Coordinates of all heavy atoms in Angstrom, one line a residue:
V788 N 0.9 -1.2 0.0 CA 0.0 0.0 0.0 C 0.9 1.2 0.0 O 1.8 1.3 0.8 CB -0.9 0.0 1.2 CG1 -1.7 1.3 1.3 CG2 -1.9 -1.2 1.2
N789 N 0.5 2.2 -0.8 CA 1.3 3.4 -1.0 C 1.2 4.2 0.4 O 0.2 4.4 0.9 CB 0.6 4.2 -2.1 CG 1.2 5.6 -2.3 OD1 1.9 6.1 -1.4 ND2 1.0 6.1 -3.5
P790 N 2.3 4.6 0.9 CA 2.4 5.3 2.2 C 1.5 6.5 2.3 O 0.8 6.8 3.3 CB 3.8 5.7 2.4 CG 4.6 4.8 1.6 CD 3.7 4.4 0.4
Q791 N 1.4 7.3 1.2 CA 0.6 8.5 1.1 C -0.9 8.1 1.1 O -1.7 8.8 1.7 CB 0.8 9.3 -0.1 CG 2.2 9.9 -0.1 CD 2.6 10.6 -1.4 OE1 2.0 10.3 -2.5 NE2 3.5 11.5 -1.4
L792 N -1.2 6.9 0.6 CA -2.6 6.4 0.5 C -3.1 6.1 1.9 O -4.3 6.3 2.2 CB -2.7 5.2 -0.3 CG -4.0 4.5 -0.5 CD1 -4.9 5.4 -1.4 CD2 -3.8 3.2 -1.2
S793 N -2.2 5.6 2.8 CA -2.6 5.2 4.1 C -3.1 6.4 5.0 O -3.8 6.2 6.0 CB -1.5 4.5 4.9 OG -0.4 5.4 5.1
E794 N -2.8 7.6 4.6 CA -3.2 8.8 5.3 C -4.6 9.3 4.9 O -5.2 10.2 5.4 CB -2.2 10.0 5.2 CG -0.9 9.6 5.8 CD -1.0 9.3 7.3 OE1 -1.7 10.0 8.1 OE2 -0.4 8.3 7.7
D795 N -5.2 8.7 3.8 CA -6.5 9.0 3.4 C -7.4 7.8 3.7 O -7.3 6.7 3.0 CB -6.5 9.2 1.9 CG -7.9 9.6 1.3 OD1 -8.9 9.1 1.8 OD2 -7.9 10.5 0.4
A796 N -8.2 7.9 4.7 CA -9.0 6.7 5.2 C -9.9 6.1 4.1 O -10.0 4.9 4.0 CB -9.8 7.2 6.4
V797 N -10.6 6.9 3.3 CA -11.5 6.4 2.3 C -10.7 5.6 1.2 O -11.1 4.5 0.9 CB -12.3 7.6 1.6 CG1 -13.1 7.1 0.5 CG2 -13.2 8.2 2.7
K798 N -9.6 6.2 0.8 CA -8.8 5.5 -0.2 C -8.1 4.2 0.4 O -8.0 3.2 -0.3 CB -7.7 6.4 -0.8 CG -8.3 7.5 -1.7 CD -7.2 8.4 -2.2 CE -7.8 9.5 -3.1 NZ -6.7 10.4 -3.5
L799 N -7.8 4.3 1.6 CA -7.2 3.1 2.3 C -8.2 2.0 2.3 O -7.9 0.8 1.9 CB -6.7 3.4 3.7 CG -6.1 2.3 4.4 CD1 -4.8 1.8 3.7 CD2 -5.8 2.7 5.9
V800 N -9.4 2.2 2.6 CA -10.5 1.2 2.7 C -10.7 0.7 1.2 O -10.8 -0.5 1.0 CB -11.8 1.8 3.2 CG1 -13.0 0.8 3.0 CG2 -11.6 2.0 4.7
D801 N -10.8 1.6 0.3 CA -11.0 1.2 -1.1 C -9.8 0.3 -1.6 O -10.0 -0.8 -2.2 CB -11.0 2.4 -2.1 CG -12.4 3.1 -2.0 OD1 -13.4 2.5 -1.5 OD2 -12.4 4.3 -2.4
E802 N -8.6 0.7 -1.4 CA -7.4 -0.1 -1.8 C -7.3 -1.5 -1.1 O -7.2 -2.5 -1.8 CB -6.2 0.7 -1.5 CG -4.9 0.0 -1.9 CD -4.5 0.2 -3.3 OE1 -5.1 1.0 -4.0 OE2 -3.5 -0.5 -3.7
L803 N -7.5 -1.5 0.2 CA -7.4 -2.8 0.8 C -8.5 -3.7 0.5 O -8.3 -4.9 0.4 CB -7.2 -2.6 2.4 CG -5.9 -1.9 2.8 CD1 -5.9 -1.7 4.3 CD2 -4.7 -2.8 2.4
S804 N -9.7 -3.2 0.3 CA -10.8 -4.1 0.0 C -10.6 -4.6 -1.4 O -11.0 -5.7 -1.7 CB -12.2 -3.4 0.1 OG -12.3 -2.3 -0.7
T805 N -10.0 -3.8 -2.3 CA -9.8 -4.3 -3.7 C -8.7 -5.4 -3.7 O -8.8 -6.4 -4.4 CB -9.3 -3.1 -4.6 OG1 -10.3 -2.1 -4.6 CG2 -9.0 -3.6 -6.0
I806 N -7.7 -5.2 -2.8 CA -6.6 -6.2 -2.7 C -7.1 -7.5 -2.1 O -6.8 -8.6 -2.6 CB -5.4 -5.6 -1.9 CG1 -4.8 -4.5 -2.7 CG2 -4.4 -6.7 -1.6 CD1 -3.7 -3.7 -1.9
Y807 N -7.8 -7.4 -1.0 CA -8.1 -8.6 -0.2 C -9.5 -9.2 -0.4 O -9.7 -10.4 0.0 CB -7.9 -8.3 1.3 CG -6.5 -8.1 1.7 CD1 -6.0 -6.8 1.9 CD2 -5.6 -9.1 1.7 CE1 -4.7 -6.6 2.2 CE2 -4.2 -8.9 2.0 CZ -3.8 -7.6 2.2 OH -2.5 -7.4 2.5
L808 N -10.4 -8.6 -1.1 CA -11.7 -9.1 -1.3 C -11.8 -9.4 -2.8 O -11.6 -8.6 -3.7 CB -12.8 -8.2 -0.8 CG -12.7 -7.8 0.6 CD1 -13.8 -6.7 1.0 CD2 -12.9 -9.0 1.5
P809 N -12.2 -10.7 -3.1 CA -12.3 -11.0 -4.6 C -13.5 -10.5 -5.3 O -13.6 -10.5 -6.5 CB -12.4 -12.6 -4.5 CG -13.1 -12.8 -3.2 CD -12.6 -11.8 -2.3
Y810 N -14.4 -9.9 -4.6 CA -15.6 -9.3 -5.2 C -15.7 -7.8 -4.8 O -15.3 -7.4 -3.8 CB -16.9 -10.0 -4.6 CG -16.8 -11.5 -4.7 CD1 -16.5 -12.3 -3.7 CD2 -17.1 -12.1 -6.0 CE1 -16.4 -13.7 -3.8 CE2 -17.0 -13.5 -6.1 CZ -16.7 -14.3 -5.0 OH -16.6 -15.6 -5.1
V811 N -16.3 -7.1 -5.7 CA -16.6 -5.7 -5.5 C -17.6 -5.6 -4.3 O -18.6 -6.3 -4.4 CB -17.2 -5.0 -6.7 CG1 -17.5 -3.6 -6.5 CG2 -16.1 -5.1 -7.9
I812 N -17.4 -4.8 -3.3 CA -18.3 -4.7 -2.2 C -19.2 -3.4 -2.4 O -18.7 -2.5 -3.0 CB -17.6 -4.7 -0.9 CG1 -16.6 -3.6 -0.7 CG2 -16.9 -6.0 -0.6 CD1 -15.9 -3.4 0.6
S813 N -20.3 -3.5 -1.8 CA -21.2 -2.4 -1.9 C -20.7 -1.1 -1.1 O -19.9 -1.2 -0.2 CB -22.6 -2.8 -1.3 OG -22.5 -3.0 0.1
D814 N -21.3 0.0 -1.4 CA -21.0 1.2 -0.7 C -21.3 1.1 0.8 O -20.6 1.6 1.7 CB -21.7 2.4 -1.3 CG -21.2 2.8 -2.6 OD1 -20.0 2.4 -3.0 OD2 -21.9 3.5 -3.4
K815 N -22.4 0.3 1.1 CA -22.8 0.1 2.5 C -21.7 -0.7 3.2 O -21.3 -0.4 4.4 CB -24.1 -0.7 2.5 CG -24.7 -0.9 3.9 CD -26.0 -1.6 3.8 CE -26.5 -1.9 5.2 NZ -27.8 -2.6 5.2
R816 N -21.1 -1.7 2.6 CA -20.0 -2.5 3.2 C -18.8 -1.6 3.4 O -18.1 -1.7 4.4 CB -19.6 -3.7 2.3 CG -20.7 -4.8 2.4 CD -20.2 -5.8 3.4 NE -20.9 -7.1 3.1 CZ -21.7 -7.6 3.9 NH1 -21.9 -7.1 5.1 NH2 -22.3 -8.8 3.6
K817 N -18.5 -0.7 2.4 CA -17.3 0.1 2.5 C -17.5 1.1 3.6 O -16.6 1.4 4.4 CB -17.1 0.9 1.2 CG -16.5 0.1 0.1 CD -16.2 0.9 -1.2 CE -15.7 0.0 -2.3 NZ -15.4 0.7 -3.5
K818 N -18.7 1.6 3.8 CA -19.0 2.5 4.9 C -18.8 1.8 6.2 O -18.2 2.3 7.2 CB -20.4 3.1 4.8 CG -20.7 4.1 6.0 CD -21.9 4.8 5.9 CE -22.2 5.8 7.0 NZ -21.4 5.8 8.1
F819 N -19.3 0.5 6.3 CA -19.1 -0.3 7.5 C -17.6 -0.4 7.8 O -17.2 -0.3 9.0 CB -19.7 -1.7 7.3 CG -19.3 -2.7 8.3 CD1 -19.9 -2.7 9.6 CD2 -18.4 -3.7 8.0 CE1 -19.5 -3.6 10.5 CE2 -18.1 -4.6 9.0 CZ -18.6 -4.6 10.2
L820 N -16.8 -0.7 6.8 CA -15.3 -0.9 7.0 C -14.7 0.5 7.4 O -13.9 0.5 8.3 CB -14.7 -1.4 5.7 CG -15.0 -2.9 5.4 CD1 -14.4 -3.3 4.1 CD2 -14.5 -3.8 6.5
L821 N -15.1 1.5 6.7 CA -14.6 2.9 7.1 C -14.9 3.2 8.5 O -14.1 3.7 9.2 CB -15.2 3.9 6.1 CG -14.7 5.3 6.3 CD1 -13.2 5.5 6.2 CD2 -15.4 6.3 5.4
D822 N -16.2 3.0 8.9 CA -16.6 3.2 10.3 C -15.7 2.4 11.3 O -15.3 2.9 12.4 CB -18.0 2.9 10.5 CG -19.0 3.9 9.8 OD1 -18.5 5.0 9.4 OD2 -20.2 3.6 9.7
N823 N -15.4 1.2 10.9 CA -14.5 0.4 11.8 C -13.1 1.0 11.9 O -12.5 1.0 12.9 CB -14.4 -1.0 11.3 CG -15.5 -1.9 11.9 OD1 -15.4 -2.4 13.0 ND2 -16.7 -1.9 11.2
L824 N -12.6 1.5 10.7 CA -11.3 2.1 10.7 C -11.2 3.4 11.5 O -10.3 3.6 12.3 CB -10.9 2.3 9.2 CG -9.5 3.0 9.0 CD1 -8.4 2.1 9.5 CD2 -9.3 3.4 7.6
L825 N -12.2 4.2 11.3 CA -12.2 5.5 12.0 C -12.5 5.3 13.5 O -12.0 6.1 14.3 CB -13.3 6.4 11.4 CG -13.0 6.8 9.9 CD1 -14.1 7.7 9.4 CD2 -11.6 7.6 9.8
D826 N -13.3 4.3 13.9 CA -13.6 4.0 15.3 C -13.9 5.2 16.1 O -13.3 5.5 17.2 CB -12.4 3.2 15.9 CG -12.8 2.6 17.2 OD1 -13.9 2.2 17.4 OD2 -11.9 2.5 18.1
G827 N -14.8 6.1 15.6 CA -15.3 7.2 16.3 C -14.7 8.5 16.0 O -15.1 9.6 16.3
T828 N -13.6 8.5 15.2 CA -12.9 9.8 14.8 C -13.5 10.2 13.5 O -14.3 9.5 12.9 CB -11.4 9.7 14.8 OG1 -10.8 11.0 14.6 CG2 -11.0 8.8 13.6
T829 N -13.2 11.4 13.0 CA -13.7 11.8 11.7 C -12.6 11.5 10.6 O -11.5 11.3 10.9 CB -14.0 13.3 11.7 OG1 -12.7 14.0 12.0 CG2 -15.0 13.7 12.8
I830 N -13.1 11.6 9.4 CA -12.2 11.4 8.3 C -11.0 12.4 8.3 O -9.9 12.1 8.1 CB -12.9 11.4 6.9 CG1 -13.9 10.2 6.8 CG2 -12.0 11.4 5.8 CD1 -14.8 10.2 5.6
A831 N -11.4 13.6 8.7 CA -10.4 14.7 8.7 C -9.3 14.4 9.8 O -8.2 14.9 9.6 CB -11.1 16.0 8.9
N832 N -9.7 13.7 10.8 CA -8.8 13.5 11.9 C -8.0 12.1 11.7 O -7.1 11.8 12.6 CB -9.5 13.4 13.3 CG -9.9 14.8 13.7 OD1 -9.3 15.8 13.3 ND2 -10.9 14.9 14.5
W833 N -8.3 11.4 10.7 CA -7.6 10.1 10.5 C -6.1 10.3 10.2 O -5.8 11.1 9.3 CB -8.2 9.3 9.4 CG -7.4 8.1 9.0 CD1 -6.6 8.1 7.8 CD2 -7.1 7.0 9.7 NE1 -5.9 6.9 7.8 CE2 -6.2 6.2 9.0 CE3 -7.5 6.5 11.0 CZ2 -5.6 5.0 9.4 CZ3 -7.0 5.3 11.4 CH2 -6.1 4.6 10.7
S834 N -5.3 9.6 10.8 CA -3.8 9.6 10.5 C -3.2 8.3 11.1 O -3.6 7.9 12.2 CB -3.1 10.8 11.1 OG -1.7 10.6 10.9
T835 N -2.3 7.7 10.4 CA -1.6 6.6 10.9 C -0.6 7.0 12.0 O 0.0 6.1 12.7 CB -0.8 5.8 9.8 OG1 0.1 6.7 9.2 CG2 -1.7 5.2 8.8
N836 N -0.5 8.3 12.2 CA 0.4 8.8 13.3 C -0.3 9.0 14.6 O 0.4 9.4 15.6 CB 1.1 10.0 12.8 CG 2.0 9.8 11.6 OD1 2.8 8.8 11.6 ND2 1.9 10.6 10.6
T837 N -1.6 8.9 14.7 CA -2.3 9.1 15.9 C -2.0 7.9 16.9 O -1.8 6.8 16.4 CB -3.8 9.3 15.7 OG1 -4.3 8.1 15.1 CG2 -4.1 10.5 14.9
P838 N -2.1 8.1 18.2 CA -1.9 7.1 19.1 C -2.7 5.8 19.0 O -2.3 4.7 19.2 CB -2.1 7.7 20.5 CG -2.0 9.2 20.3 CD -2.4 9.4 18.8
M839 N -4.0 6.0 18.5 CA -4.8 4.8 18.4 C -4.9 4.2 17.0 O -5.7 3.3 16.7 CB -6.3 5.2 18.8 CG -6.4 5.6 20.3 SD -6.0 4.2 21.4 CE -7.3 3.0 21.0
A840 N -4.0 4.6 16.1 CA -4.1 4.2 14.7 C -3.9 2.7 14.6 O -4.6 2.0 13.9 CB -3.0 4.9 13.9
E841 N -2.9 2.1 15.3 CA -2.7 0.7 15.2 C -3.9 -0.1 15.6 O -4.3 -1.1 15.0 CB -1.5 0.3 16.1 CG -1.1 -1.2 15.9 CD 0.2 -1.6 16.6 OE1 1.0 -0.7 17.0 OE2 0.3 -2.8 16.8
A842 N -4.5 0.3 16.7 CA -5.7 -0.4 17.2 C -6.9 -0.3 16.2 O -7.6 -1.3 16.0 CB -6.2 0.1 18.6
R843 N -7.0 0.9 15.6 CA -8.1 1.1 14.6 C -7.8 0.3 13.4 O -8.8 -0.3 12.8 CB -8.1 2.6 14.3 CG -8.7 3.4 15.4 CD -8.7 4.9 15.1 NE -9.4 5.6 16.1 CZ -9.1 6.8 16.5 NH1 -8.0 7.4 16.1 NH2 -9.8 7.4 17.5
I844 N -6.6 0.2 12.9 CA -6.3 -0.6 11.8 C -6.6 -2.1 12.0 O -7.1 -2.8 11.2 CB -4.8 -0.4 11.3 CG1 -4.7 1.0 10.8 CG2 -4.4 -1.4 10.3 CD1 -3.2 1.5 10.5
Q845 N -6.2 -2.6 13.3 CA -6.5 -3.9 13.6 C -8.0 -4.2 13.6 O -8.5 -5.3 13.2 CB -5.9 -4.3 15.0 CG -4.4 -4.4 15.0 CD -3.8 -4.6 16.3 OE1 -4.5 -4.6 17.3 NE2 -2.5 -4.8 16.3
K846 N -8.8 -3.3 14.2 CA -10.2 -3.4 14.2 C -10.8 -3.5 12.8 O -11.7 -4.3 12.5 CB -10.9 -2.3 15.0 CG -12.4 -2.4 15.1 CD -12.9 -1.2 15.9 CE -14.5 -1.4 16.0 NZ -15.1 -0.3 16.8
F847 N -10.3 -2.6 11.9 CA -10.7 -2.6 10.5 C -10.4 -4.0 9.8 O -11.2 -4.5 9.2 CB -10.0 -1.5 9.8 CG -10.0 -1.6 8.3 CD1 -11.1 -1.4 7.5 CD2 -8.8 -2.0 7.6 CE1 -11.1 -1.5 6.1 CE2 -8.8 -2.2 6.3 CZ -9.9 -1.9 5.5
L848 N -9.2 -4.5 10.0 CA -8.8 -5.7 9.4 C -9.6 -6.9 9.9 O -10.0 -7.7 9.1 CB -7.3 -6.0 9.6 CG -6.4 -5.0 8.8 CD1 -4.9 -5.3 9.3 CD2 -6.5 -5.2 7.3
K849 N -9.9 -6.9 11.2 CA -10.8 -8.0 11.7 C -12.1 -7.9 11.1 O -12.7 -8.9 10.8 CB -10.9 -7.9 13.2 CG -9.6 -8.3 14.0 CD -9.8 -8.1 15.5 CE -8.5 -8.5 16.2 NZ -8.6 -8.3 17.6
A850 N -12.7 -6.7 11.0 CA -14.0 -6.5 10.4 C -14.0 -7.0 8.9 O -14.9 -7.7 8.5 CB -14.5 -5.1 10.4
M851 N -12.9 -6.7 8.2 CA -12.8 -7.1 6.8 C -12.7 -8.6 6.7 O -13.4 -9.2 5.9 CB -11.7 -6.4 6.1 CG -11.6 -6.7 4.6 SD -10.4 -5.7 3.7 CE -8.9 -6.2 4.5
L852 N -11.9 -9.2 7.6 CA -11.7 -10.7 7.5 C -13.0 -11.4 7.9 O -13.2 -12.6 7.5 CB -10.6 -11.1 8.5 CG -9.2 -10.6 8.1 CD1 -8.2 -11.0 9.1 CD2 -8.8 -11.0 6.7
R853 N -13.9 -10.8 8.6 CA -15.2 -11.4 9.0 C -16.3 -11.3 7.9 O -17.4 -11.9 8.1 CB -15.6 -10.9 10.3 CG -14.7 -11.3 11.4 CD -15.2 -10.8 12.8 NE -14.3 -11.3 13.8 CZ -13.9 -10.6 14.9 NH1 -14.3 -9.3 15.0 NH2 -13.1 -11.1 15.8
L854 N -16.0 -10.4 6.9 CA -17.1 -10.3 5.9 C -17.3 -11.6 5.1 O -16.3 -12.3 4.8 CB -16.6 -9.2 4.9 CG -16.6 -7.7 5.3 CD1 -16.1 -6.8 4.2 CD2 -18.0 -7.3 5.8
P855 N -18.5 -11.8 4.7 CA -18.8 -13.0 3.9 C -18.0 -13.0 2.6 O -17.5 -14.0 2.1 CB -20.3 -12.9 3.6 CG -20.8 -12.1 4.6 CD -19.7 -11.1 5.0
E856 N -17.7 -11.8 2.0 CA -16.9 -11.7 0.8 C -15.5 -12.2 1.0 O -14.9 -12.8 0.1 CB -16.9 -10.2 0.3 CG -18.2 -9.7 -0.2 CD -19.1 -9.1 0.9 OE1 -18.8 -9.3 2.1 OE2 -20.1 -8.5 0.6
F857 N -14.9 -12.0 2.1 CA -13.6 -12.5 2.4 C -13.6 -14.0 2.6 O -12.8 -14.7 2.2 CB -13.0 -11.8 3.6 CG -11.6 -12.3 3.9 CD1 -10.5 -11.8 3.2 CD2 -11.3 -13.3 4.8 CE1 -9.2 -12.2 3.4 CE2 -10.0 -13.8 5.0 CZ -9.0 -13.2 4.3
Q858 N -14.7 -14.5 3.2 CA -14.8 -15.9 3.5 C -14.9 -16.8 2.3 O -14.6 -17.9 2.2 CB -16.0 -16.2 4.5 CG -15.9 -15.5 5.8 CD -14.7 -15.9 6.6 OE1 -14.4 -17.1 6.7 NE2 -14.1 -14.9 7.2
L859 N -15.3 -16.1 1.2 CA -15.5 -16.8 -0.1 C -14.2 -17.0 -0.9 O -14.2 -17.5 -2.0 CB -16.6 -16.1 -0.9 CG -18.0 -16.2 -0.4 CD1 -18.9 -15.3 -1.2 CD2 -18.5 -17.6 -0.3
T860 N -13.1 -16.4 -0.4 CA -11.9 -16.5 -1.1 C -11.2 -17.8 -0.9 O -11.4 -18.5 0.0 CB -10.9 -15.4 -0.7 OG1 -10.6 -15.6 0.7 CG2 -11.4 -14.0 -1.0

């Protein structure tokens, strides 16, 4: 993943879902994943440099791995 991309939460969700999910996911699923990544913060406040970034990324990845679309891979 492009390091600059990781600082844009929406693009990060798009990129990782494209890489790890074999099917195109709905906007509703992308919003679900974005909400998990942000974990209460706003898109404008997202950064991989914030203290909770690692925990948020882990929560996002767990949510993505639990999606039915991932299970079908």
